[in-house]
Amino acid sequence: MLLLSGPNLDRLGKREPEIYGSATLSDVHALVVEIAKALDAEVVCRQSNHEGLLIDWINSAEDEGFDGILINPGALTHTSFALYDSLRGAGLPAIEVHLSNPDAREPFRRRSRIAPACLGRVAGFGAESYALGLRGLIVALRARRATA
Ligand code: DHK
């Protein structure tokens, strides 16, 4: 699996902890790696503040051998048609994850541009959103394989 985090998520732990919690991105990555291991899967974690790099990683994910994508694009969630296009074209299932619950915040956060390109979405549970999203992604991939 490939876990991608977008703009400003490198600041987790310091950035508005009352909204995003006190866990750092390294803490989140460690949790996700542990959950993946327990489920007999592997996860590679990457973060960028640059939309183009996120797109490059999505576009090369299948060729790099990944089976699925877990993504928190930060504020690009609400603006990026380019990320929507690349997720649509990736050929891999993707799950959208968020630490906070964007639907319960400012109105501009209520629209996800990437949601229609994703299999599902987990939001509002802090770092646990990532753990739940990863579990969902692995279960979905195994169900697909069993019926293929
Ligand atoms: C993270 C961000 O950086 C925001 O721009 C999104 C998301 C919500 C989160 O909750 O993980 O609106």
Side-chain angles (χ1 to χ4, degrees):
M1 306 307 134
L2 175 63
L3 166 61
L4 294 179
S5 297
N8 301 313
L9 291 163
D10 53 333
R11 301 254 319 133
L12 275 187
K14 291 186 185 130
R15 171 193 184 209
E16 299 184 276
E18 65 289 357
I19 293 174
Y20 296 108
S22 56
T24 64
L25 191 58
S26 301
D27 296 334
V28 173
H29 289 175
L31 173 70
V32 163
V33 165
E34 190 188 305
I35 303 267
K37 214 184 268 175
L39 294 171
D40 213 15
E42 277 175 52
V43 64
V44 169
C45 305
R46 298 176 184 164
Q47 187 276 334
S48 177
N49 291 328
H50 304 279
E51 184 176 17
L53 189 51
L54 294 167
I55 289 168
D56 289 344
W57 285 334
I58 293 166
N59 292 352
S60 63
E62 194 171 24
D63 291 344
E64 284 192 74
F66 293 108
D67 294 321
I69 298 172
L70 203 62
I71 183 165
N72 182 353
L76 292 172
T77 303
H78 317 296
T79 60
S80 180
F81 294 109
L83 273 180
Y84 164 78
D85 276 349
S86 65
L87 286 167
R88 293 259 328 187
L92 298 176
I95 307 279
E96 177 184 346
V97 291
H98 298 287
L99 296 141
S100 69
N101 177 5
D103 288 337
R105 298 179 61 195
E106 302 95 318
F108 80 86
R109 293 185 205 275
R110 287 186 202 140
R111 168 169 262 166
S112 166
R113 296 295 185 188
I114 68 156
C118 293
L119 201 59
R121 180 184 213 228
V122 186
F125 300 104
E128 194 58 29
S129 294
Y130 288 69
L132 294 167
L134 182 64
R135 278 183 213 278
L137 183 56
I138 291 170
V139 167
L141 280 164
R142 289 185 180 156
R144 277 183 188 195
R145 264 184 210 151
T147 54

